[in-house]
Amino acid sequence: MTLSPQLPSSPALPEPGFNFAYLDEQTKRSIRRAALKAVAIPGHQIPFSSREMPMSYGWGTGGVQVTASVIGQMDTLKVIDQGADDTTNAVNIRRFFRKVCGINTTERTEEATLIQTRHRIPETPLREGQIMVYQVPMPEPLYFIEPSRTEANKMHALEEYGPVYVRLYEDITRFGHIAMAYDYPVMVNDRYLMKPSPIPRFDNPKLHMNPALQLFGAGREKRIYALPPYTKVKSLDFEDHPFTVETWDQPCEFCGATDTYLDEVVTDDQGSRLWICSDTDYCNQRQQNNHLLTPTLS
Amino acid sequence: MLTTQLPGFKDPVHDAQKTFRALLDALARPGIQQTTASLTPPEGLKPSCAAACLTLLDLETTVWLQPSISGSARSWLLFHTGCRFTADSQTADFAVIDQIEIMPRLDEFNWGTAAYPEASTSLLIQLPALEGTGSAVLQGPGILDTIALQTPLRTPFWQQWQAMTENYPLGLDAWCFADRQVLGLPRTAQLAGRQEGQ
Ligand SMILES: [Zn+2]
């Protein structure tokens, strides 16, 4: 009589025909080497040889390649797009990684070990051990001043960031404030100017001294950069015009939060509109908690 | 048994991933020990250092081995990774060190250039143990406030390290290995204080 072997409990198996996480090992190694340099030189962009992915640019191929090089069998992945887990982009990327890794996925920020994001940082504070991967369309903060990559590299080398301040100050002179609502530039560890990807200004303060490791991947531009945990990140500003974040006059319509980033939603063709949390996981959890609390409050 | 018959990772894909995460966490949290995947290393390599080599090295990388490292380690690395070797520490992407007392000065390795500080040598330093009697206090990215280490690294190393960090972003990143453990020293790790042990 033979005993049938006990299968170890593991997440769903990846589909056959793919290497784990889709990328071949040679490609992962080269991306991993770039990611390690990125962590050692916070905010500095490291070139890497970007691969074709089974999705088009603009769908976060840079972030996807970084995630594919970092992810392991024990990870639990969350994917958000503009704060939501259920948009087409987020669903597709989550499905892709389930298929090629067989890993667990979640919509809850606190359960995730790895979070791939486009355009938001979750409202739930991140913790030590978590890794955020940002999808970056355009990594170079000097591009609007110096389109040549070689020249921009020289400016970074010399810390020649004066022209960026001049440009921002022109905004203040013309509009009375800095008109940049997204992808607002930051200084990292008092040394490198960095674009935080198109997150709203509201999220910039969360970059600073965050306990999680933050990795940024730009597929088309073939760049990786990083913020190690507990790294100083300062949004550019001026003594007479300090950096400020967006605020709203009303709380979230669904959960009542007054300290979150709100999206405007048009509810009918009369132009009625609501303001609701852009972070759907955070908003849902608050609604559940509010519901539980209601009887004791009344 | 021939060195080349010594296996590499039991599970190349997942062991490399696990080891990469240990190396990544080590650099992201300087001073906090991480654990690599396990394997049977050739003579002259610690298990964690051998695992790091299989994870980082390939045909695209140039490696400087401290001359004291055995020929069997060298042929094992060549067989499993296909890496190129160099005798010139200035041209090395990675340098494997097993006798820190007689290693070249830090400025004999490549610190990168102002525009490409990443074009630098990464040091893989093997130590008998990661704990020692010299204390060092580090600060910088990845460290909340400061972190105190009890380490076998001595004054000559820390003097050179401190001089090197004044050239940031130029510089070297290092990992220290003993047994299955690894400790990271990115170039951003600044010496905030130290004391030599007995
Ligand atoms: Zn809400």
Side-chain angles (χ1 to χ4, degrees), chain A residues 166-182:
Chain A
V166 170
R167 183 68 64 91
L168 290 182
Y169 211 86
E170 282 169 7
D171 261 17
I172 294 174
T173 321
R174 280 169 58 198
F175 310 111
H177 63 277
I178 296 170
M180 217 177 290
Y182 295 90

Side-chain angles (χ1 to χ4, degrees), chain A residues 252 254-257 276-277 283:
Chain A
C252 167
F254 291 166
C255 76
I276 56 169
C277 292
C283 192

Side-chain angles (χ1 to χ4, degrees), chain B residues 144-162:
Chain B
L144 185 60
D145 195 19
T146 60
I147 189 165
L149 304 183
Q150 293 300 317
T151 154
L153 299 171
R154 316 302 284 193
T155 305
F157 178 87
W158 289 119
Q159 283 173 341
Q160 294 180 55
W161 186 267
Q162 193 168 15

Side-chain angles (χ1 to χ4, degrees), chain A residues 19-20 25-26 28-30 32-33 35-37 39-42 44-47 51 69-73 75 113-114 128-129 131 150 153-154 156-157 189 191-192 209 213 215 228-231, chain B residues 11-14 16-17 20-21 23-25 27-29 53-61 93-94 114-122 140-145 168-169 173 175 186-188:
Chain A
N19 190 28
F20 180 82
E25 292 303 297
Q26 172 76 32
K28 284 185 200 167
R29 252 194 313 277
S30 132
R32 285 168 180 168
R33 286 193 297 257
L36 292 169
K37 293 285 190 186
V39 169
I41 314 170
H44 173 59
Q45 303 162 52
I46 315 287
R51 299 299 149 121
S69 304
V70 166
I71 199 166
Q73 288 169 308
D75 277 313
T113 57
L114 196 53
E128 285 187 3
I131 299 179
T150 318
N153 270 347
K154 276 184 201 158
H156 283 292
N189 193 29
R191 177 57 185 82
Y192 281 104
M209 295 301 277
L213 169 61
L215 302 173
Y230 306 122
T231 297
Chain B
D11 183 341
V13 170
H14 298 111
Q17 187 276 334
F20 165 68
R21 282 286 274 273
L23 296 169
L24 182 71
D25 289 342
L27 276 195
R29 302 301 309 281
C53 287
L54 295 189
T55 302
L56 297 171
L57 307 184
D58 56 27
L59 303 158
E60 294 172 0
T61 53
D93 300 316
F94 293 92
Y116 302 96
E118 69 274 21
S120 58
T121 309
S122 296
I143 301 167
L144 185 60
D145 195 19
Y168 182 82
D173 310 309
W175 287 279
R187 67 191 74 188
T188 49

Side-chain angles (χ1 to χ4, degrees), chain B residues 56-75:
Chain B
L56 297 171
L57 307 184
D58 56 27
L59 303 158
E60 294 172 0
T61 53
T62 301
V63 180
W64 180 89
L65 292 184
Q66 196 170 19
S68 51
I69 290 174
S70 74
S72 50
R74 188 189 174 94
S75 40

Side-chain angles (χ1 to χ4, degrees), chain A residues 202-265:
Chain A
F202 181 87
D203 283 341
N204 271 29
K206 299 176 191 168
L207 299 165
H208 175 65
M209 295 301 277
N210 197 304
L213 169 61
Q214 304 175 76
L215 302 173
F216 298 78
R220 193 183 49 227
E221 303 292 325
K222 305 178 171 57
R223 298 292 179 106
I224 293 177
Y225 50 103
L227 296 173
Y230 306 122
T231 297
K232 281 167 71 178
V233 180
K234 187 172 189 329
S235 302
L236 299 192
D237 65 356
F238 302 91
E239 254 174 42
D240 53 345
H241 282 87
F243 175 80
T244 56
V245 298
E246 303 87 333
T247 53
W248 289 265
D249 299 331
Q250 61 282 300
C252 167
E253 183 76 21
F254 291 166
C255 76
T258 53
D259 55 356
T260 59
Y261 187 83
L262 301 181
D263 280 336
E264 184 181 11
V265 180

Side-chain angles (χ1 to χ4, degrees), chain B residues 85-138:
Chain B
F85 292 104
T86 177
D88 177 5
S89 55
Q90 277 288 347
T91 62
D93 300 316
F94 293 92
V96 185
I97 287 140
D98 74 338
Q99 294 192 15
I100 195 163
E101 308 78 25
I102 55 166
M103 72 179 277
R105 292 185 52 82
L106 294 183
D107 58 14
E108 290 175 51
F109 296 99
N110 186 351
W111 289 9
T113 64
Y116 302 96
E118 69 274 21
S120 58
T121 309
S122 296
L123 304 182
L124 311 179
I125 303 172
Q126 306 195 88
L127 298 170
L130 293 183
E131 291 85 12
T133 56
S135 77
V137 179
L138 300 177

